[in-house]
Amino acid sequence: MPATYQNPILDEDFPDPTIIRAADGYYYAYGTQTKYQGQIINLQVARSRDLVQWELLPDALPQKPQWASATQKIWAPHVTEHAGRYYLYYSALPNGTDTYCLAVATADQPAGPFTDIGQPLQCGPGFVNIDPMVFDDPATGKCLLYWGSGFGPLLVHELAPDRISFAEGSQTQELVQPVPDDDPDNYQRLLEGSWVVLRDGWYFLFYSGNNCCGDDAHYGVMVARSRHATGPFETLAQATGKGHSIILETNRHWRAPGHNSIVTDAAGQDWLAYHAIDPQQPTFDAIDDAQGYSRRVMLLDRIEYHDGWPRMATAEAPSRTPQLAPATE
């Protein structure tokens, strides 16, 4: 393992990264649909032993679902393992519509191939139903699905034991609300990219906003906390009286960082994995824009918890200088 690493940890378009540790000892990273070496990759997957050196693997969703067979909009995968089975939660645009759906596919191996269950979990309106994340709550034993955007609130809903449908009699709950003002420091006009961890009795809900991509990208990572997985959540801004809840935003090295996951190394240290735009190479030959689109590469930076809140451990995060690498043993 290298003693240090330097961002980006994966210098390819790899938006909305989720990283998990699988039973085979590898870390697996999953990313939104892209074009790589002229080929469309529906579900990106890469693996690593050390969270630093990554190997790209073949398309983990080689067959699009029949209900979205024509789409080039397969977004924001999240993969979990349960009882030896791997569950892929993602968003897709169905054939002939402009309203996004939450979807589920399953596989026997972390690298896939994943097979869609045959129908969406939930659809419409607009792009409300995007960015799913599943969390198994140790306090209640419930399996919870978080999602949301579309200029609405972040949402949570309990899944059934089959993990591919909602629990009978359960209801969707609103967690964090958007803030519709024009303050240039306001990243909370649009919310997305939920990620939940439980640390020291607090459920921390990481989320991103406001605009991930393009020439006017304005994006960062925010946080809220609760004593319960389903809230009520208090944002960092509400708790501190500051104007915003940002813990990671644009700096001189990187533009529009966000849509994070949290991964823990062998020493129990938490790391924030996320994407950002490299100003030195901001666009690429994208799927649906002949002029190129924002190239979002995968970055990694350490986080710490102080006074009941997470914060970036590196003052210059998003970092571009050499950093101490994650522990592997």
Side-chain angles (χ1 to χ4, degrees):
M1 182 196 76
T4 62
Y5 76 98
Q6 187 169 333
N7 279 321
I9 56 170
L10 184 54
D11 196 13
E12 302 288 351
D13 181 64
F14 203 91
D16 312 323
T18 283
I19 300 180
I20 67 168
R21 182 77 180 271
D24 63 5
Y26 280 96
Y27 293 97
Y28 286 83
Y30 305 88
T32 281
Q33 188 180 38
T34 194
K35 184 187 287 185
Y36 178 71
Q37 296 182 345
Q39 300 294 316
I40 292 174
I41 308 297
N42 296 322
L43 174 61
Q44 297 193 79
V45 60
R47 69 178 181 179
S48 172
R49 287 289 190 186
D50 59 12
L51 290 171
V52 173
Q53 298 171 323
W54 290 89
E55 171 195 8
L56 289 170
L57 301 179
D59 194 333
L61 188 69
Q63 297 296 322
K64 295 174 185 174
Q66 188 171 15
W67 54 269
S69 60
T71 191
Q72 306 299 353
K73 306 282 190 184
I74 295 177
W75 289 356
H78 179 229
V79 174
T80 64
E81 182 274 334
H82 178 72
R85 190 106 177 121
Y86 290 86
Y87 294 79
L88 160 66
Y89 302 87
Y90 66 103
S91 311
L93 188 64
N95 297 335
T97 77
D98 58 1
T99 60
Y100 284 83
C101 297
L102 298 172
V104 191
T106 62
D108 295 324
Q109 303 293 333
F114 287 85
T115 302
D116 187 81
I117 62 172
Q119 61 187 18
L121 177 61
Q122 178 168 289
C123 295
F127 58 101
V128 169
N129 293 297
I130 67 168
D131 297 355
M133 185 268 175
V134 167
F135 176 75
D136 286 286
D137 181 14
T140 63
K142 294 180 179 180
C143 180
L144 302 171
L145 176 69
Y146 298 81
W147 79 98
S149 183
F151 297 98
L154 298 177
L155 305 167
V156 65
H157 199 135
E158 182 186 354
L159 291 176
D162 65 8
R163 304 175 80 88
I164 62 172
S165 61
F166 290 119
E168 185 176 354
S170 61
Q171 300 292 324
T172 299
Q173 296 173 249
E174 297 183 355
L175 299 179
V176 177
Q177 300 291 332
V179 178
D181 69 49
D182 294 327
D183 185 331
D185 289 331
N186 179 23
Y187 288 83
Q188 204 156 314
R189 280 183 288 267
L190 181 148
L191 310 178
E192 59 189 26
S194 300
W195 191 275
V196 174
V197 296
L198 174 60
R199 299 290 183 268
D200 298 324
W202 288 106
Y203 293 85
F204 293 106
L205 170 59
F206 296 81
Y207 57 99
S208 296
N210 162 55
N211 175 23
C212 72
C213 309
D215 293 338
D216 58 348
H218 180 256
Y219 205 56
V221 175
M222 293 162 279
V223 68
R225 72 180 185 182
S226 175
R227 290 296 189 184
H228 305 280
T230 55
F233 278 89
E234 179 183 43
T235 67
L236 181 59
Q238 291 168 337
T240 63
K242 295 180 180 179
H244 60 74
S245 300
I246 284 286
I247 63 169
L248 183 73
E249 61 183 328
T250 294
N251 64 12
R252 62 193 178 94
H253 298 303
W254 301 99
R255 291 181 56 227
H259 202 121
N260 74 278
S261 59
I262 303 291
V263 61
T264 306
D265 70 13
Q269 172 65 54
D270 280 350
W271 297 80
L272 194 85
Y274 58 99
H275 69 231
I277 300 168
D278 185 349
Q280 299 177 22
Q281 190 178 349
T283 61
F284 75 115
D285 178 22
I287 295 171
D288 53 5
D289 183 350
Q291 302 304 311
Y293 198 58
S294 295
R295 178 179 179 268
R296 292 170 287 168
V297 297
M298 185 163 67
L299 279 61
L300 186 74
D301 279 300
R302 188 163 52 96
I303 60 172
E304 297 174 341
Y305 300 87
H306 295 278
D307 301 323
W309 290 95
R311 71 183 186 194
M312 304 309 299
T314 305
E316 66 168 4
S319 68
R320 196 160 199 149
T321 58
Q323 304 292 320
L324 184 65
T328 59
E329 58 183 25

